[in-house]
Amino acid sequence: MYNYMKNLLVFTAILTSLVSFGQEKEILAAKNYESIGRFATAIQFYKKAEARDKYLAEEERVELYKSLIFCHEKLKDTKPMEDYFEKIEALQILSDSLALKYSEVLRTLNNYSKAESVYLKVANRQKDIVLKQNMLNTLERFKKNKSKKQPYEVKKTNLNVQGLSMGIAEDKNGVIIGMPTTTDGFTYY
């Protein structure tokens, strides 16, 4: 019986180390894809590692979820971000910066009551009285104005900038459109 238990223990240790090695390899590949801006591919590798996340330590799981949040944010895919914030929150208290991002994601998904609750928790944790009051004032303005429509409408234009970048900003008199001057001396409008 002793040899059986010993063999079972050795087998379990080897299996766990192989799974762990596979996860490290997947996470490394995901980080490499993330570093070159291939976020969709990075997500695929992170999800493979996530499928076996029970083998990761708590802090490693949190880092995995943060990486998934980052990649989904880059792809403007907010719905999965909410799930990963919840997974982190189940493991530990969200840092202020992460909680504020979570609140922003919740607002984007029109989950205003939860967004306000998360934001209020962050505001109440602030030791700086001025910062805390500013955050509470911001929350009140948000509650007051969340049902108002935007004062502008985004539409496609027929502006031809000939492949050049341009910037747009609001001004009290309307919209400012900024376009670069080329080195050949011509300005394109």
Side-chain angles (χ1 to χ4, degrees), residues 151-169:
Y152 54 86
E153 187 177 339
V154 177
K155 290 184 177 181
K156 186 176 179 179
T157 69
N158 60 356
L159 289 175
N160 182 0
V161 293
Q162 300 180 8
L164 300 174
S165 298
M166 63 182 221
I168 299 175

Side-chain angles (χ1 to χ4, degrees), residues 34-81:
E34 183 182 323
S35 70
I36 60 172
R38 297 201 43 209
F39 302 110
T41 306
I43 287 171
Q44 291 174 350
F45 280 96
Y46 281 132
K47 283 187 179 265
K48 286 179 183 179
E50 180 191 12
R52 297 186 310 269
D53 67 353
K54 64 183 176 186
Y55 297 107
L56 295 173
E58 179 180 305
E59 197 53 45
E60 291 173 319
R61 272 189 272 168
V62 169
E63 288 305 312
L64 174 66
Y65 301 147
K66 285 180 183 179
S67 295
L68 281 159
I69 288 168
F70 176 77
C71 290
H72 281 288
E73 180 181 27
K74 290 297 185 181
L75 295 173
K76 308 287 189 235
D77 187 14
T78 53
K79 183 57 183 153
M81 292 171 65

Side-chain angles (χ1 to χ4, degrees), residues 3-15:
N3 283 338
Y4 174 75
M5 292 302 286
K6 184 178 170 185
N7 289 338
L8 183 62
L9 185 62
V10 169
F11 177 74
T12 305
I14 290 171
L15 184 61

